[in-house]
Amino acid sequence: MKHSLYFLIIITLLFAGCRQKAQSNFLSESSAQTEESNPSLEEYAEEAVITGKVLNRDFYPQEKELTLIIPFFRDMGNQYRSPIQKDGSFSFRFPVYAKLREVSIRNYAEHLYIHPGDSIHVEIDFKDLFHPKVTGDAEKLNQEILAFTESAYYYIQNYNMKPESDVKDFEAELKKDYNFRLERRNEYLVKYKPMEDVVLFTEELLKQDYYYALLFNGMSYLFKTRKEMDRYHTLLPEINKLYTKGILSARLYDVADEAERYIAYGIAFRDKKNPSIEEIMATMGESEMNQYLYTKLIAGSLCTNDTLAFHEKRTQFDSIVKMSHLRAQVMQIYNQTKSYLKNPQPVSDNLLYGEFHENSKHTTRMPYMKPVYDVLEKNRGKVIYFDFWARWCPPCLAEMEPLKQLRSKFSTDDLIIYSICVSEPKEQWEECLNEYSLKNRGIECVHVTDYLGIDNYQKICKQWKIDRMPYYVLINRKGQIIDFGTAARPSNPQLVSRIEEAVK
């Protein structure tokens, strides 16, 4: 059991999505984006245009811009920003790279569907947020899909069944529910007689939900029994067919993510080793989904502010990933990561002050950030390293020794380390300080309730995209955040190099 837990932790660290931040949150205001020139990106490369207008803007006067999200792996979706003009208008322009693609305008139009070359107009009423109005080339497409997804013909994506149920009972109940959903879809088809694209989309959507539920249950069974279900492996060719239709929905990435996790954990529990991406892909066999799995690996490294891994694997990436939409999104994340590493100021301004421009005035519009500002002022001219951790987090505890080693490498005149425990009760934090000999080490060991306060910490979590532990923030002598996320950990040699550079 102990060995299984060890490999579980390793797999979690290696294959976890880049949830600590969506790298593309920090694009400039221009909604027009460019991709690296590549012949494989020509298929469906024609741009689509979304224009729109915000009505009753004074209802939410603080809203200054809108964000268009191109779905990708969890919290890695490429994003485009557009300011809301004085007359309420906004616009986005982007390549589609698919026959039909799902996109969303965050908070205001969560499901939009578009073809290459389409031009649509979205009217958003701030007094009626649940009913955005779509007109233009894809008006009929969106109306027909909406009639299916937001009516009694389509139920919630996730099946409301307990994964821990008996496997055969679960699968029988799942199949029963799936067949019922198919019946409701048939009723929809008879009533609305939708266009061909919608017929295919609704069919694929139900399949995606079904296989996602099946794989999710497979993961639950794997955790419970440490045994794989061979018959789930026989389903992989069928699941792979979801990726050959040229219709891209957000759910496709969820299915790929769950398939990867199921295969990776299965290998870890079976062979007591950390599986390579090649072993995971070999289990899938020759398949389109392997392009998704390899893409997730590359994008994950980029989302941890690491471009070196992509450079090292670029030849392999080019040979494996041929799908235009995957290549385009990876290249966009790469360009954003490279831009951030070269010039961290805009991202740092956003994280620290809620600003998006280098020349913005640094005003304290976020009072919950005051403890952070106090640290910056107190340690002006020094490199600052924040370590957010929890007692219940094994990867956090594994970094305690590397944290002490990191402390010993640098003078306190150069590097200040704040170790911030976020778990309760507070007594457990005291126990950890003693257990890992953190006291009197030149490390500022504080508890979140004393240092930030729970309310402030929750707001900082939202601002800094802290949604998993451990989490780290590195600030240089200029007061710029030059690295952040779960990968900027003391044991990472790349972090040590960045601190050495910052100290110089």
Side-chain angles (χ1 to χ4, degrees):
M1 178 70 178
K2 184 176 180 181
H3 291 298
S4 296
L5 179 60
Y6 170 76
F7 285 107
L8 172 62
I9 294 170
I10 294 296
I11 294 298
T12 300
L13 292 177
L14 181 61
F15 295 103
C18 186
R19 295 187 62 195
Q20 67 272 21
K21 68 186 177 77
Q23 182 76 20
S24 46
N25 277 349
F26 310 106
L27 295 177
S28 64
E29 284 191 346
S30 173
S31 60
Q33 303 297 319
T34 58
E35 309 292 349
E36 180 182 86
S37 177
N38 190 301
S40 68
L41 302 184
E42 295 304 316
E43 184 184 17
Y44 305 123
E46 190 176 0
E47 288 187 322
V49 176
I50 297 179
T51 61
K53 190 164 187 177
V54 174
L55 305 179
N56 295 305
R57 187 179 177 185
D58 57 345
F59 205 72
Y60 292 109
Q62 72 278 11
E63 289 293 287
K64 305 298 183 183
E65 65 180 10
L66 297 178
T67 302
L68 180 78
I69 301 174
I70 309 296
F72 200 43
F73 290 102
R74 184 179 301 177
D75 293 336
M76 289 194 282
N78 291 149
Q79 302 181 13
Y80 302 80
R81 296 186 183 279
S82 173
I84 304 175
Q85 304 296 339
K86 290 182 178 180
D87 63 355
S89 63
F90 61 88
S91 66
F92 300 98
R93 180 184 296 272
F94 58 97
V96 176
Y97 297 124
K99 294 179 182 178
L100 171 64
R101 187 157 206 164
E102 176 185 4
V103 299
S104 68
I105 298 177
R106 177 183 287 162
N107 298 329
Y108 302 117
E110 292 298 324
H111 303 282
L112 294 173
Y113 304 91
I114 200 162
H115 301 104
D118 277 351
S119 178
I120 65 174
H121 186 84
V122 182
E123 190 176 272
I124 298 171
D125 189 341
F126 276 4
K127 284 189 176 181
D128 185 15
L129 299 180
F130 297 104
H131 300 94
K133 183 180 179 181
V134 179
T135 56
D137 296 335
E139 176 180 354
K140 189 171 186 287
L141 172 71
N142 281 273
Q143 288 177 346
E144 291 183 349
I145 294 179
L146 188 68
F148 177 72
T149 59
E150 297 193 6
S151 69
Y153 296 106
Y154 178 68
Y155 293 84
I156 58 174
Q157 288 182 322
N158 296 325
Y159 286 79
N160 188 25
M161 288 178 284
K162 295 182 179 180
E164 62 269 18
S165 302
D166 177 82
V167 173
K168 291 184 178 179
D169 291 343
F170 175 87
E171 293 178 358
E173 189 66 23
L174 179 65
K175 192 68 173 179
K176 179 181 177 181
D177 198 339
Y178 175 64
N179 288 332
F180 175 74
R181 295 180 184 217
L182 288 177
E183 291 175 6
R184 294 295 292 159
R185 172 180 173 270
N186 288 334
E187 293 175 16
Y188 161 81
L189 296 178
V190 171
K191 180 177 179 178
Y192 287 90
K193 297 180 176 56
M195 64 176 67
E196 183 180 345
D197 278 353
V198 177
V199 172
L200 180 58
F201 176 82
T202 55
E203 178 184 11
E204 293 302 302
L205 183 60
L206 294 187
K207 288 180 182 178
Q208 292 165 21
D209 293 344
Y210 172 76
Y211 284 121
Y212 178 80
L214 203 60
L215 289 168
F216 188 86
N217 181 63
M219 278 294 300
S220 176
Y221 180 84
L222 188 59
F223 273 109
K224 184 178 180 180
T225 65
R226 302 296 191 262
K227 296 179 181 178
E228 293 182 278
M229 290 182 281
D230 291 337
R231 64 181 180 279
Y232 278 28
H233 284 267
T234 65
L235 293 174
L236 294 178
E238 287 299 313
I239 295 174
N240 183 67
K241 291 179 182 179
L242 300 175
Y243 299 87
T244 64
K245 308 296 184 180
I247 293 181
L248 300 180
S249 68
R251 186 52 121 184
L252 273 180
Y253 296 97
D254 296 336
V255 175
D257 189 48
E258 207 61 38
E260 180 214 33
R261 292 177 65 237
Y262 176 73
I263 294 170
Y265 280 95
I267 295 174
F269 288 136
R270 184 191 66 212
D271 299 341
K272 300 295 186 295
K273 71 173 186 176
N274 178 15
S276 66
I277 184 63
E278 288 77 15
E279 289 175 302
I280 296 172
M281 292 168 60
T283 302
M284 282 298 306
E286 293 294 328
S287 68
E288 283 75 11
M289 194 192 291
N290 275 343
Q291 297 186 50
Y292 279 71
L293 302 186
Y294 199 81
T295 294
K296 181 186 173 186
L297 172 73
I298 294 297
S301 66
L302 292 173
C303 282
T304 57
N305 302 323
D306 176 15
T307 58
L308 296 179
F310 181 52
H311 292 158
E312 293 172 357
K313 297 179 181 297
R314 182 60 192 267
T315 300
Q316 191 174 24
F317 172 77
D318 289 340
S319 68
I320 294 173
V321 181
K322 303 296 184 181
M323 291 182 176
S324 301
H325 64 283
L326 297 178
R327 294 184 61 85
Q329 290 193 261
V330 165
M331 292 314 303
Q332 186 166 333
I333 296 174
Y334 168 73
N335 288 330
Q336 291 158 197
T337 304
K338 185 171 65 173
S339 175
Y340 165 60
L341 294 175
K342 184 178 180 180
N343 178 23
Q345 190 70 54
V347 174
S348 179
D349 284 351
N350 172 250
L351 291 174
L352 288 173
Y353 307 104
E355 299 288 356
F356 292 93
H357 310 287
E358 289 185 62
N359 299 323
S360 296
K361 293 181 180 179
H362 291 181
T363 57
T364 307
R365 295 183 299 159
M366 300 180 291
Y368 57 85
M369 292 287 289
K370 187 177 184 304
V372 176
Y373 300 153
D374 290 344
V375 169
L376 291 175
E377 182 62 31
K378 178 182 176 181
N379 298 286
R380 185 183 295 272
K382 296 182 180 180
V383 177
I384 304 169
Y385 183 61
F386 289 105
D387 169 12
F388 292 89
W389 62 279
R391 178 69 179 87
W392 42 260
C393 166
C396 299
L397 303 181
E399 293 296 326
M400 294 303 181
E401 288 301 321
L403 182 68
K404 290 187 290 186
Q405 294 171 16
L406 182 68
R407 172 69 284 169
S408 66
K409 290 178 183 291
F410 301 94
S411 164
T412 54
D413 292 331
D414 292 322
L415 175 67
I416 301 297
I417 298 178
Y418 277 81
S419 171
I420 306 171
C421 178
V422 302
S423 58
E424 295 187 276
K426 188 175 177 180
E427 289 73 21
Q428 290 185 354
W429 166 64
E430 292 281 1
E431 293 173 1
C432 277
L433 295 185
N434 294 324
E435 180 179 352
Y436 292 95
S437 303
L438 290 177
K439 293 182 178 180
N440 303 316
R441 291 277 183 172
I443 300 172
E444 296 285 342
C445 299
V446 296
H447 193 268
V448 68
T449 55
D450 299 326
Y451 175 55
L452 298 173
I454 295 300
D455 290 343
N456 285 345
Y457 170 65
Q458 291 175 345
K459 293 175 182 177
I460 290 174
C461 283
K462 184 176 181 181
Q463 174 66 14
W464 283 1
K465 310 295 186 297
I466 303 175
D467 64 351
R468 62 174 56 187
M469 292 287 123
Y471 192 93
Y472 307 93
V473 177
L474 179 63
I475 302 175
N476 67 10
R477 294 184 187 274
K478 297 179 183 179
Q480 297 172 327
I481 294 179
I482 58 173
D483 206 348
F484 60 104
T486 61
R489 57 189 63 204
S491 61
N492 186 344
Q494 186 174 326
L495 172 77
V496 177
S497 298
R498 299 209 71 185
I499 294 178
E500 289 175 345
E501 183 180 349
V503 166
K504 291 178 182 178

